Amino acid sequence: MQKDLLLENIDFLKSNLGKNISQTLFQRFKDLILSGKFPEGYMLPNENVVSNALGIGRSTLREAYTALAVFGFIKRSKAGTFVNKITDIVNIAPFSITVENSDLNDLLEFRFMLEAETASYAAKRATQEDIEKITICYNHMIEYRNDINSFVDYDSQFHMLISDATHNKLLISTMIAAKDSFERCIRVAMRQSLTKNPRVIDVTIDLHGKILEAVKNRDYQTAYAIMREHISYVNLTVKYG
């Protein structure tokens, strides 16, 4: 039974491992654990069996296992290597992994709370250089309004530049950790809503422009309010299209 689970997923684990094999294996083992294909309590086969099945050296496999153990995905002992309980993984895992595996509604609520405060602090602390970078990014949003992928890239960058303008290391780190999940959220919202409401792009550009103006004017209250309006709009778009 234990060996069968590994063999069932062996093609996924060993295909196109690239140059950094241990890092690639870490990501793939992580995906199998989080998807439930390697369930909690599952004991991975002996290292010799796994390394032979993957066609790699034991030292490379051990590097991947060490990373998985550090991040809380597995537990290694004399009795064997076991997959941890999901609750234990969440408690041990770094913030970025917790965000990545959060429920969509939780992510939207968290973003609503975080980014309003971020916009407020940006309005209080942004330097002229910060404002110039945000302005350039905003202009690119307008330029690429008909290219959804590029538009979303600049949308995401706009929010990251707002967080940079807070000059608060913890806020910046939190935004960086959550960036990929936030960006996926934005892409889903845009693609879903554009089929029903082509004005979504116009509304998004308008709200970003108001946030930028509030930051320029050091109007932290308006920056806070408009960012809340913007995130609320995104939340409604994701939920209802």
Side-chain angles (χ1 to χ4, degrees), residues 1-237:
M1 175 64 178
Q2 302 292 343
K3 186 176 178 180
D4 288 346
L5 283 180
L6 178 76
L7 293 178
E8 285 174 12
N9 296 282
I10 199 68
D11 289 338
F12 170 72
L13 284 169
K14 68 187 294 185
S15 64
N16 300 319
L17 288 172
K19 294 182 179 180
N20 195 331
I21 297 175
S22 60
Q23 183 177 347
T24 302
L25 284 176
F26 164 77
Q27 293 293 337
R28 292 181 181 174
F29 273 109
K30 182 193 80 170
D31 290 343
L32 290 172
I33 292 169
L34 291 175
S35 67
K37 292 181 179 179
F38 284 175
E40 62 181 55
Y42 169 59
M43 184 174 76
L44 289 160
N46 178 278
E47 287 184 4
N48 285 331
V49 173
V50 179
S51 58
N52 287 337
L54 294 173
I56 61 172
R58 285 183 63 189
S59 61
T60 301
L61 179 64
R62 284 175 178 170
E63 287 179 14
Y65 278 4
T66 298
L68 288 164
V70 168
F71 284 102
F73 292 103
I74 63 174
K75 178 173 62 177
R76 307 180 74 186
S77 68
K78 292 181 179 179
T81 301
F82 298 87
V83 174
N84 273 331
K85 295 179 180 179
I86 292 297
T87 52
D88 292 338
I89 292 172
V90 170
N91 288 334
I92 298 171
F95 177 73
S96 58
I97 293 176
T98 303
V99 171
E100 181 181 339
N101 294 283
S102 293
D103 176 83
L104 178 60
N105 287 331
D106 290 344
L107 180 61
L108 293 173
E109 289 175 4
F110 176 75
R111 188 178 179 205
F112 181 78
M113 175 187 69
L114 172 66
E115 294 211 55
E117 293 292 347
T118 301
S120 176
Y121 280 106
K124 295 175 184 177
R125 299 174 179 172
T127 64
Q128 187 58 40
E129 182 181 359
D130 291 328
I131 292 172
E132 289 173 1
K133 288 180 179 178
I134 297 169
T135 302
I136 291 171
C137 183
Y138 174 68
N139 289 336
H140 282 314
M141 288 179 67
I142 297 172
E143 180 182 357
Y144 288 95
R145 63 189 305 146
N146 295 318
D147 180 343
I148 297 302
N149 287 327
S150 295
F151 181 85
V152 172
D153 286 340
Y154 286 115
D155 187 328
S156 177
Q157 184 182 342
F158 182 96
H159 288 267
M160 294 306 300
L161 290 171
I162 290 290
S163 72
D164 288 344
T166 68
H167 298 277
N168 179 306
K169 292 180 180 179
L170 184 56
L171 282 175
I172 294 169
S173 296
T174 302
M175 283 294 294
I176 290 172
K179 178 181 180 295
D180 289 342
S181 295
F182 283 178
E183 189 169 326
R184 281 196 299 274
C185 171
I186 296 169
R187 288 185 192 279
V188 169
M190 289 298 176
R191 288 199 176 100
Q192 286 181 347
S193 60
L194 278 173
T195 59
K196 300 178 181 179
N197 183 7
R199 286 195 65 251
V200 167
I201 294 289
D202 293 330
V203 173
T204 302
I205 289 174
D206 179 62
L207 290 172
H208 281 71
K210 289 178 178 177
I211 293 167
L212 174 57
E213 285 304 308
V215 171
K216 285 181 179 179
N217 295 329
R218 309 295 180 189
D219 186 349
Y220 65 91
Q221 292 178 323
T222 297
Y224 179 92
I226 298 299
M227 184 62 85
R228 283 174 67 92
E229 181 182 349
H230 168 50
I231 301 301
S232 294
Y233 183 74
V234 172
N235 291 359
L236 289 172
T237 301

